[in-house]
Amino acid sequence: MKSAIILFPGINRERDMARALRLAGSEEPVIVWHKETSLPQVDLIVLPGGFSYGDYLRCGAIAARSPIMREVVAKAEAGTPVLGVCNGFQILIEAGLLPGALMRNRELKFICRDVHLKVESNDTRFTRQYATGDVIRVPVAHGEGNYFADDETRRRLDGDGRIVFRYCEADGSFSTEANRNGSVDNVAGILNERGNVLGMMPHPEDHVEPHQGSTDGVGIFRSIVSAAA
Amino acid sequence: MKANVTITLKKGVLDPQGKAIEGALHSLGFDGVENVRQGKLIELELPETDREAARAQVEAMCEKLLANTVIESYRIDLV
Amino acid sequence: MKANVTITLKKGVLDPQGKAIEGALHSLGFDGVENVRQGKLIELELPETDREAARAQVEAMCEKLLANTVIESYRIDLV
Amino acid sequence: MSIPNDIKITPELVAEHGLKPDEYERILELIGREPTITELGIFSAMWNEHCSYKSSRVWLKTLPTEGPQVIQGPGENAGIVDIGDGQCAVFKMESHNHPSFIEPHQGAGTGVGGILRDVFTMGARPIAALNALRFGDPDHPKTRHLVSGVVAGIGGYGNSFGVPTVGGEVNFHPRYNGNILVNAMAVGIAETDKVFYAAASGVGNPIVYLGSKTGRDGIHGASMASQEFGEDSEEKRPTVQVGDPFAEKLLLEACLELMESDAVIAIQDMGAAGLTCSAVEMGAKGDLGVELDLDMVPCREAAMTAYEMMLSESQERMLMVLRPGYEDHARAIFEKWDLDFAIVGRTTDDLRFRVKHGGDVMADLPIKELGDEAPCYDRPWTETPLPAELGASDVPAPNSLAEALVKMMASPHLCSRRWIWEQYDHLILGNTMQRPGGDAAVVRVDDGPKALAMSVDVTPRYCEAHPETGGKQAVAEVWRNITAVGARPLAITDCLNFGNPERPEIMGQLVGAIKGMGEACRALDFPVVSGNVSLYNETSGKAILPTPAIGGVGLLDDIDRMATIAFKGEDEAILLVGETRGHLGRSIFLQVMHDREDGAPPTVDLAAERRNGQFVRALIRDRSATAVHDLSDGGLAVAVAEMALAGGIGATLDEAPDGVSSHAFFFGEDQARYVVTCSRGSTARILETAGKAGVPMSAIGWTGGDALNLAGEDPIYLDELRRRHEAWLPDYMAGWIED
Ligand SMILES: Nc1ncnc2c1ncn2[C@@H]1O[C@H](COP(=O)(O)OP(=O)(O)O)[C@@H](O)[C@H]1O
Ligand SMILES: [Mg+2]
């Protein structure tokens, strides 16, 4: 599998992402600088985490308007799978590839800790290695992951099965405590209509080796690799 | 010409910062304060001297970058 | 009574946000824009009806919480 | 605030620059004329305590700084130790105390930025950050605001920059009410044959300015850091620097990218006293003169004077000497990263530091003397006498050991610091093998199997009682923490925070601490490779507790042979390593249960430290130990409680041995001790090996269940203990615990 990682100034989890892709069997990802205007032919485009442009103005806002994003949008519309994690999710939203908004965490503080996610659907190219209903443990590390969407958007997302991950307790139950950033409907990750663009706040790429405390995140990367095969 | 752009969350959009500030004000003893909302102010200068043209330019900036019109509305004041 | 508090960085204090926004505006083609500075706007309502008393209260809120007076200055508008 | 260069130098002006009359006399002698105001500013920056170490230099020289592992000791931006495979670890700790008190968020943030810069200036990519924080009494009206600002500032900077903040420590004590301490440490990895130093070489080589623009930030910041706070300091409100972690991240990437070529001859970050310090250091270290043309310096404010540009402490800036011919290559890289790049001067052969602005020479000084001839004081000092020992019988036993333990674990001194480290991204880079909460943080190097272990420690209440013992203990505790994860301690950095050295008793504290540190470093083969001194931490004549913070780094050869504090299974034996006499003087037990801080600190037996530590490390290496924790604040019961909470498994502890009273046994803070668990089957063998090695070791209980049972006491259920242990900090910060 060939993949490209888009590098915006201030992005800082590109190494974590590249390692996770390698471990899942991808070729070494190509790093594409934000000032580029074209992308190589790849099976996956990744927007990794970090603080593009310092998260100034709004998280992801400035990066979403950089030259490479026109190409990312075009490829996404043509069906290339796109994964945006954390800041990458924020950029996808700002670029209009995913609906809604990501606001300051409920308690206004940055949160770095492990969370549990419920895999709401394994009928996606990003989650086929899981079973629907699986609970996985992966870390979050963000200050603005509080997902918001208006009622209609939420209903549509839910109805179309496009809410892929929800924050939950270890036993899979939903609670306010498990939803520390305050997201509506405990949303942690969503798909676009066509099913080829996934945005999520948690960092599966940091739970891919036993030494990191869990390998629960590796399923996402293996799913992508197997879907591309 | 100088322009001040005020960007506020649309009505109905939850404002976690405003809420937190309100809570903090209450615990500092400012009991009656309510409906606290936080927004952004962006000041800028542009070479354009014609007011209408300037407003149009700043409006374009807002639409393209400064505001996230999904959740925010903006107001432009030329000074 | 409603109050709008505008909080801006004092002169000379580095404004990394303003700098980044300015850069982004330039690369979007708004070449001439300069001196972009970002501030905060806080809107609130308070039960006080006397203007002077209200102003004094909001001032106290600014000093105690809303503004970081080491690097920021604030302006209060009662509406 | 435009300052003309021909302003008359008055005694007042000299005093305002923090220079003593005799120091000014020395300047006159050195240059043979009255200095210009720009020159006075340059002298004040170079000769203040912060840059010149004038009060501490004679004593710092006594610290051991060498060893086969040391590649670079003190004297550069950071220390360097060999970690094998052609790689080295680059690290240093620095204080940002005064700025953090004035503006906690920006002050702490720029402190982190400064220390990260020190590390990547040398060509290392930062892989971890740590911080040692001291705040005033929780009841003091400013404390909450300071905690919240400092933590947000450290997190805000490190998170955005992209370095995991993996460890640190926090104390609360009324003696820090007016002077909090924010000490930040950074650790990076470089290839040993690709490290960069500050010394310039070659005449006529271009000096380039990189990074962000210069503003009027923190002018006099360095002098501020060397002045005692007065009651009016809050009114003075000096210009504080605002950090831009985004710019720093770009600076990191641009510098490392440029360093891949042969372009860089010398590099120095602009920290305290910005352009002045960095330029003088590059020249003086390379035996070269430096000429700067300030017209070329990128400024973000209009009409800045030479004086202002030379003293500005704007952040995220670097100075480099480039190999001629590489200018365009360097410029292209910095422009790619949207950073400023300007050629602002060149090296000369006349050993002068010459600064031009608008065609005029604003300063022309002998460059070597600026550093070498800085005042150096052997200040008078008085030794702190060792307080009388406090016997266990002088300390009333609690009604219930169990209740005392819960109370201690729920106190500000021992409660969980989760509220703090969850605001730090401690996982970024994917190499954090031990998160905050254990003995030492462990961060893997690349894809392993090698890892670095690191810890910062000092016990100020011991240092207050007897600085020499406290200095020794601090080094020993760092060494022990690194040992407890299975790593081999390599070297330390330090941050010596004290009051006004012009007072002999304070100077005596500094001297004592350094003596103790030196002794411990020698005994443990744990040399000092970098550090920082912060003096004048006093308000209205009241000094902080003497706080020589020590940051240590160790090497773990294989992450598969690493220990953690968590109990691993039911029914394992709990063993105590080291001798327990039950020392309660200056203990947390004494403080929490009796509101007392008296007695002598525990004795530090360095031979025992070494012997016991080596034994524990061997147990970890041969996988005999299933969990390991060193004993420190709160003693045995607290250590076992922490192990139980971490593993979610309870424990039952036997009674105190004959001759030691129960409360002294469970809460005493004797040094050189560890708690280790092992399978039941291996207990006898391990005890026998310990006996042969002369290591005191005894079985004291076993793991299992959902509660902690101290001999003869009601069970302490882990759920309840956890709730109490986790509650204090978040409750306090939410304002639920009244001032
Ligand atoms: N307490 C100390 N112990 C050992 N080395 C020290 C100590 N204090 C300062 N140093 C060393 O002196 C040099 C100058 O320190 P400093 O001025 O703080 O560095 P920087 O210019 O990077 O801020 C550094 O190499 C530092 O490691
Ligand atoms: Mg330095």
Side-chain angles (χ1 to χ4, degrees), chain A residues 64-167:
Chain A
R65 284 138 186 100
S66 47
I68 193 66
M69 282 308 289
R70 267 190 292 273
E71 178 74 358
V72 171
V73 170
K75 294 263 190 206
E77 282 168 356
T80 304
V82 178
L83 170 66
V85 170
C86 199
N87 200 213
F89 184 17
Q90 293 163 337
I91 296 168
L92 291 176
I93 285 192
E94 280 283 346
L97 284 173
L98 291 170
L102 288 158
M103 329 241 317
R104 280 294 286 280
N105 291 348
R106 183 175 56 214
E107 290 165 43
L108 305 190
K109 290 197 297 281
F110 188 95
I111 308 173
C112 177
R113 55 147 47 189
D114 284 358
V115 296
H116 290 98
L117 300 182
K118 189 164 211 172
V119 181
E120 296 283 22
S121 163
N122 75 344
D123 188 17
T124 83
R125 64 170 66 238
F126 302 97
T127 53
R128 54 204 272 178
Q129 300 259 332
Y130 300 108
T132 297
D134 271 0
V135 174
I136 62 171
R137 183 163 58 86
V138 288
V140 291
H142 61 248
E144 313 205 6
N146 184 348
Y147 185 75
F148 170 85
D150 58 36
D151 292 343
E152 198 207 311
T153 309
R154 276 153 63 189
R155 268 195 302 273
R156 248 201 352 253
L157 282 173
D158 207 15
D160 296 352
R162 287 161 53 198
I163 300 177
V164 183
F165 299 110
R166 280 198 164 95
Y167 300 108

Side-chain angles (χ1 to χ4, degrees), chain D residues 53 60 74-77 92 94 118 494 496 528 530-533:
Chain D
Y53 294 92
L60 290 179
E76 279 288 338
N77 282 308
K92 171 150 190 240
E94 202 156 72
D118 273 333
D494 64 58
L496 308 179
V528 183
S530 59
N532 171 248
V533 178

